[in-house]
Amino acid sequence: MSNRIRYRKTVVHYSSRQQRRMKLGGMVGTACYEAPNSGGFAPFWPWLKVGELVHLGKNTAFGLGKTTIAGISKWYME
């Protein structure tokens, strides 16, 4: 795996329960994975797509944890 963190991002959210503004932060970047063997990513594909739909990690209700699967060639899916 090779990865590159581009920048830190902070989102401000107002909490009605706590009656104050909350800072929610995280990293924005990319990660590149190579297929672990000749089987490619086929066994992981359903889980990668679910991760794209539901987001990952903490504070997903506020739009954090978004992932995008890109650049997968058909060769990897065989």
Side-chain angles (χ1 to χ4, degrees):
M1 178 186 98
S2 63
N3 60 7
R4 183 175 172 194
I5 296 174
R6 298 190 187 273
Y7 58 92
R8 181 165 172 76
K9 183 174 183 179
T10 302
V11 178
V12 178
H13 162 74
Y14 183 79
S15 170
S16 296
R17 183 178 65 83
Q18 296 183 20
Q19 300 293 311
R20 65 184 183 115
R21 294 187 318 178
M22 311 285 291
K23 290 184 179 179
L24 309 173
M27 302 299 225
V28 176
T30 59
C32 180
Y33 296 92
E34 293 184 27
N37 56 33
S38 61
F41 285 105
F44 307 105
W45 186 248
W47 297 107
L48 294 171
K49 293 309 284 180
V50 167
E52 250 186 339
L53 295 172
V54 299
H55 297 195
L56 305 169
K58 186 176 174 182
N59 294 318
T60 57
F62 304 111
L64 302 178
K66 180 180 177 183
T67 59
T68 303
I69 309 301
I72 296 178
S73 69
K74 191 171 187 166
W75 179 79
Y76 284 120
M77 295 308 297
E78 296 175 352

